[in-house]
Amino acid sequence: MSPNDPRTAEQPMPWRRTPRRSRLRRRFVAGAVAVLAASAGVGVLAPSAGAAPTVDIRVNAGTSLGTVPSSGTGLNTGVGDDHMGTAKVSSLMKAAGVRQLRYPGGSGADVYHWKTHTMDDGYRNPSNTDFDHFMATAKTVGARPIVTANYGSGTPQEAADWVKYANVTKGYGVKYWEIGNEVYGNGYYGDGKGWETDKHADKSPREYAKNLVAYAKAMKAVDPKAKIGAVLTTPGGWPDKEKAPGDSADWNNTVLSIAGSSIDFAIVHWYPGGTTTDDLLKTPSRIAGVTSELRSLIAKYTGSHAASVEIAVTENGAVGSPAQTSQAAALFASDTYMTWFEQGATHVDWWNLHNGTDQAPTTVNGQIDYQDGGILSAGTCAGGKCEPARDTPFPIYWGIRSLTALAKPGDTMVKASSGNTSVAVHAVRSSNGALNVMLINKSPQNAAPVSLSYAGYTPAAGAVTTVSYAQGDTALTTTKRGTAAAQTLPPYSITTLQLKPAPGTAGAAKPTPAPTPTVAAPVVSGTTGTRAQGEIGARVDGTTPSSTSGDLASTGASTTVTYSAVGGLLVIAAGGMLLLRGRRSRALHRK
């Protein structure tokens, strides 16, 4: 999915010129959307008239949604970012649990020549961001590299030489290779003024697919273990389903029908945007439909190896919504990463490490938002106001780092559901018998009392360890509060309960896989509806049990424990670029 829809008046900028407005305001709203413009934020969840109702959270520790991918939590980097590998930045990335780094950086990949470390126009990037320096950074962070080969102005031979250098000459063992970045944005669709460089005379999906096969053949001849990724349009986002004059099929069907047998993973980008922060925080509900459609396409075209073809979300971000760096973006980050993992994605890479901006800060829900897509401050100034000191973590950083309190690679994700869309939930079982539950309160004004029940797991009694991040915090807070049965979540917060099994229960039996629907779920283009995460693991017929015991019993779990919300309830009192891409503007990457 790209925000650079040429059907709008706003067009992408040429490489390294003064940056424009950071993201197009693309709309996926099915019906009318009320736009509430106010300096304190737009479109937030409305506060209740009285005390907030208790939200019922159900965790089924006996139903598995799969394992947390080994290198799933990823991040984009750019060759123009001369702070990418500093000791401070590397330490911050490592502490945030970043397990994958993407290189050389978005659209820049299609004009980047790795041997000379230059762009297509001859510009030489900072010497400390070349491929060897990037690999040193990845090693320091403990992250796996994913590399985008130059399709726009490169050749299969240039890409094959890169594979040879990386994996034969240097022994880096780079496994994942993308062929181009958002190639569908080359101008073939729309008004012909695409944002992605593509110097091929034929810019059709047919030509991309044919060249993709040639790239794969050349690169695998050097290293048969190399995994090759195909650029696809994101279902539900432009230019998905578009057909140019004379074409019989859209981009995805054309590319996969020709190159399906040559690829190892499918690439999509996820920038759902939204007119309001409320819109943004509802978008994870669309991910189930997106992955379902991708799986159907993969099954149709990739033959006997369809089950092994991975889905990689190599760009993901809140750009296109009012919240770029403020708290809503942090909540979106945690929720989105986990929802993609639960739906089977093996890579999710946030855009961006550093980004920068040419936009003056705004105020979103009472918090300054610097309109910068990076997780760390680039230290740029706009409109007479400057970002925090360079490398200061934005709230997005803490949203991503919150995932380290929930899960580690190899842990088992289990089914969980919320009785109200204002609170999202994700749950993970660890190998040592612990159960961690992440609760995300999407209301910027109201604390949310929650009551939790469990199947397949009996938590120990007493106060529980929580790791939280609330609006205005500058770090994660670990404390003992509430119980496994009852918590009160601060407004606009991420709270992870770290539970231990009750004595004598040894946790629970190994979770069983959730049933897989046999019919692809439709891709929903609106932002209304419930979270997809509450749907996975549900009955294939789509029916919803009317009682807690019925729902949990339907999974086959042997134990259901329902706690009273009386006692242990905690009431929170007040006081208690450099590859500036914006996403396509890159002027600051020379700084």
Side-chain angles (χ1 to χ4, degrees):
M1 173 184 301
S2 171
N4 302 284
D5 188 336
R7 294 172 296 185
T8 70
E10 189 173 15
Q11 292 297 319
M13 288 197 57
W15 184 258
R16 292 197 301 279
R17 291 187 186 171
T18 302
R20 60 167 173 81
R21 178 75 174 154
S22 66
R23 252 303 167 169
L24 304 184
R25 298 297 192 242
R26 302 183 61 219
R27 290 161 175 77
F28 294 86
V29 184
V33 175
V35 180
L36 306 177
S39 63
V42 293
V44 300
L45 295 166
S48 61
T54 298
V55 177
D56 292 325
I57 301 294
R58 294 179 288 182
V59 179
N60 187 344
T63 299
S64 169
L65 303 179
T67 58
V68 178
S70 60
S71 300
T73 305
L75 187 61
N76 276 267
T77 63
V79 291
D81 181 4
D82 59 3
H83 274 224
M84 171 175 52
T86 66
K88 179 179 180 179
V89 171
S90 295
S91 177
L92 285 167
M93 287 192 287
K94 188 178 183 70
V98 172
R99 296 295 186 122
Q100 178 166 281
L101 292 176
R102 184 176 184 239
Y103 180 90
S107 296
D110 278 322
V111 292
Y112 176 68
H113 300 284
W114 72 273
K115 289 182 181 179
T116 58
H117 193 45
T118 58
M119 312 312 284
D120 229 31
D121 61 1
Y123 172 73
R124 184 171 294 279
N125 292 288
S127 61
N128 65 346
T129 67
D130 65 14
F131 181 58
D132 288 322
H133 280 87
F134 164 75
M135 288 304 304
T137 297
K139 183 177 180 180
T140 299
V141 173
R144 178 176 66 189
I146 181 169
V147 175
T148 308
N150 183 345
Y151 176 81
S153 61
T155 64
Q157 187 60 54
E158 181 181 34
D161 289 346
W162 200 351
V163 174
K164 182 177 181 180
Y165 177 79
N167 295 350
V168 178
T169 303
K170 301 295 290 189
Y172 289 142
V174 178
K175 189 176 182 180
Y176 290 90
W177 298 83
E178 300 177 72
I179 309 304
N181 175 81
E182 294 183 1
V183 184
Y184 48 76
N186 59 12
Y188 185 73
Y189 299 108
D191 61 5
K193 299 178 182 179
W195 63 88
E196 199 72 19
T197 297
D198 183 356
K199 295 190 174 181
H200 296 88
D202 183 350
K203 294 177 172 54
S204 70
R206 296 179 300 278
E207 185 68 10
Y208 172 67
K210 292 176 184 177
N211 288 325
L212 173 59
V213 172
Y215 270 76
K217 183 177 180 180
M219 296 163 81
K220 285 179 177 284
V222 174
D223 181 3
K225 294 182 179 179
K227 288 185 177 289
I228 305 300
V231 172
L232 300 183
T233 63
T234 304
W238 195 87
D240 184 50
K241 308 296 191 300
E242 294 282 324
K243 295 179 185 178
D247 284 355
S248 60
D250 60 11
W251 181 276
N252 287 354
N253 281 278
T254 302
V255 170
L256 290 175
S257 67
I258 296 170
S261 62
S262 299
I263 69 167
D264 302 289
F265 62 102
I267 304 160
V268 293
H269 290 173
W270 182 245
Y271 293 103
T275 303
T276 68
T277 53
D278 190 11
D279 291 341
L280 176 70
L281 294 177
K282 289 176 179 175
T283 58
S285 67
R286 304 210 310 262
I287 292 173
V290 171
T291 53
S292 179
E293 183 171 331
L294 289 171
R295 278 291 164 209
S296 293
L297 288 166
I298 290 168
K300 181 178 180 180
Y301 293 115
T302 61
S304 59
H305 80 300
S308 65
V309 175
E310 302 174 37
I311 294 174
V313 187
T314 60
E315 290 186 23
N316 169 55
V319 182
S321 78
Q324 301 288 301
T325 65
S326 54
Q327 190 73 3
L331 308 187
F332 168 80
S334 293
D335 201 7
T336 300
Y337 271 100
M338 286 308 302
T339 304
W340 275 113
F341 295 159
E342 289 158 356
Q343 292 294 339
T346 53
H347 317 245
V348 181
D349 304 324
W350 187 268
W351 182 274
N352 195 7
L353 173 58
H354 295 103
N355 199 72
T357 183
D358 67 334
Q359 297 298 302
T362 61
T363 300
V364 179
N365 297 319
Q367 187 178 37
I368 295 176
D369 192 297
Y370 291 96
Q371 299 294 294
D372 180 320
I375 68 168
L376 303 179
S377 171
T380 55
C381 300
K385 297 182 179 179
C386 296
E387 294 182 346
R390 195 165 183 171
D391 301 330
T392 299
F394 288 129
I396 297 171
Y397 171 85
W398 297 108
I400 296 172
R401 186 160 169 172
S402 292
L403 297 173
T404 63
L406 175 67
K408 64 180 184 299
D411 284 349
T412 302
M413 298 173 289
V414 296
K415 183 183 175 185
S417 61
S418 171
N420 191 311
T421 56
S422 66
V423 175
V425 58
H426 302 278
V428 172
R429 287 278 303 280
S430 65
S431 58
N432 65 2
L435 173 67
N436 298 328
V437 181
M438 175 178 280
L439 301 165
I440 302 171
N441 181 6
K442 300 179 183 180
S443 171
Q445 291 100 352
N446 298 326
V450 297
S451 177
L452 299 100
S453 60
Y454 304 84
Y457 192 88
T458 306
V464 300
T465 298
T466 65
V467 181
S468 61
Y469 180 70
Q471 181 155 301
D473 288 352
T474 57
L476 302 184
T477 300
T478 302
T479 189
K480 291 272 190 180
R481 80 180 195 201
T483 68
Q487 293 282 331
T488 296
L489 311 176
Y492 251 23
S493 65
I494 305 164
T495 302
T496 300
L497 315 185
Q498 297 183 329
L499 308 176
K500 296 180 179 179
T505 62
K510 183 178 180 180
T512 58
T516 302
T518 57
V519 179
V523 176
V524 180
S525 60
T527 55
T528 59
T530 58
R531 293 185 63 255
Q533 192 266 344
E535 306 274 339
I536 12 187
R539 296 173 178 148
V540 177
D541 64 8
T543 58
T544 302
S546 59
S547 70
T548 301
S549 60
D551 182 30
L552 297 174
S554 72
T555 67
S558 60
T559 305
T560 300
V561 182
T562 304
Y563 291 84
S564 168
V566 178
L569 182 63
L570 179 67
V571 178
I572 305 298
M577 256 156 286
L578 334 155
L579 187 63
L580 184 132
R581 196 179 187 202
R583 238 211 344 111
R584 297 297 163 192
S585 306
R586 308 169 182 83
L588 302 182
H589 81 293
R590 279 184 172 177
K591 291 189 72 168

